[in-house]
Amino acid sequence: MLIANGFEEIYNNLDFTDSIIECINWENNLLDLILIIDYYDVNEEQLLKLRFKDCLKADFSLTPNVIRVPEEEKGSYSMSWYTIQNYKLLRDSELLNEYKPEVLFHFQIFTADHVVPWLSVVSRGIQVEKVVREEKT
C-alpha cells in the first residue's frame, strides 16, 4: 500500500529518525533499490518499504568501526549501525550533475556517522509503501 510518493510528501509526512533499516534488496528486474525500515511513529511501530525507483547509483559506506569490533560483539552493535540518524535531499551535487538533474534526485541517509552517509543514492523517484504483515493461521 503506497503511503507517500516523492521526497516532499515523504519529508512532510514521515520522520525516519531512529527508524532501523531491517533489509536491503533489489526489485523490478534489479532497477529499484529497496530498504525495509522498522518505522517508529508516535502511535505505532510498522514496517515500511522505501523504494528508490530506477536507481542509477547507490553508494554504501558502513562505519569503519565494524573492523575494530570483535566478531562475537558485532550483533550488539549492528542495530546502531543501521539506525537512521538523519536523511536529506541534495538538489545540487556532483553525483547529480553527472546525470540529468531535472529528472533525478540525490538522497542521503546517515546512520552511525554524521558526516559520511551510510547510503548515497541517485534515482528517478522515491516512494514509501506500508508492508502488510501476513497473519499466520
Side-chain angles (χ1 to χ4, degrees):
M1 175 167 126
L2 186 66
I3 60 172
N5 189 16
F7 179 79
E8 299 301 326
E9 190 173 324
I10 292 167
Y11 186 77
N12 290 330
N13 297 308
L14 301 166
D15 181 6
F16 293 120
T17 305
D18 294 331
S19 296
I20 300 169
I21 300 158
E22 296 283 333
C23 182
I24 307 160
N25 60 30
W26 296 88
E27 290 182 359
N28 188 23
N29 295 316
L30 302 176
L31 295 174
D32 295 353
L33 175 63
I34 304 295
L35 302 180
I36 302 296
I37 298 172
D38 196 356
Y39 180 74
Y40 298 96
D41 191 3
V42 175
N43 302 318
E44 65 180 316
E45 176 183 348
Q46 58 186 328
L47 284 182
L48 298 181
K49 181 187 283 189
L50 184 59
R51 178 184 300 273
F52 296 96
K53 303 227 11 112
D54 295 332
C55 181
L56 297 177
K57 188 169 184 108
D59 291 327
F60 293 91
S61 183
L62 192 56
T63 176
N65 291 337
V66 71
I67 297 168
R68 293 188 281 277
V69 174
E71 194 64 36
E72 61 274 5
E73 294 179 18
K74 285 184 180 175
S76 61
Y77 286 94
S78 64
M79 221 159 78
S80 66
W81 292 334
Y82 293 100
T83 299
I84 297 173
Q85 299 298 319
N86 194 9
Y87 54 96
K88 64 182 175 181
L89 178 71
L90 299 175
R91 300 200 186 271
D92 185 32
S93 71
E94 192 174 309
L95 263 178
L96 195 57
N97 291 330
E98 289 179 30
Y99 305 101
K100 293 184 176 187
E102 62 275 2
V103 296
L104 300 173
F105 72 93
H106 183 184
F107 190 79
Q108 294 180 327
I109 295 176
F110 297 83
T111 57
D113 191 323
H114 298 276
V115 177
V116 178
W118 169 78
L119 172 64
S120 181
V121 63
V122 174
S123 176
R124 184 180 305 273
I126 184 171
Q127 297 176 330
V128 177
E129 304 163 31
K130 185 173 183 176
V131 176
V132 179
R133 299 177 194 208
E134 294 181 16
E135 291 186 33
K136 296 182 180 181
T137 56

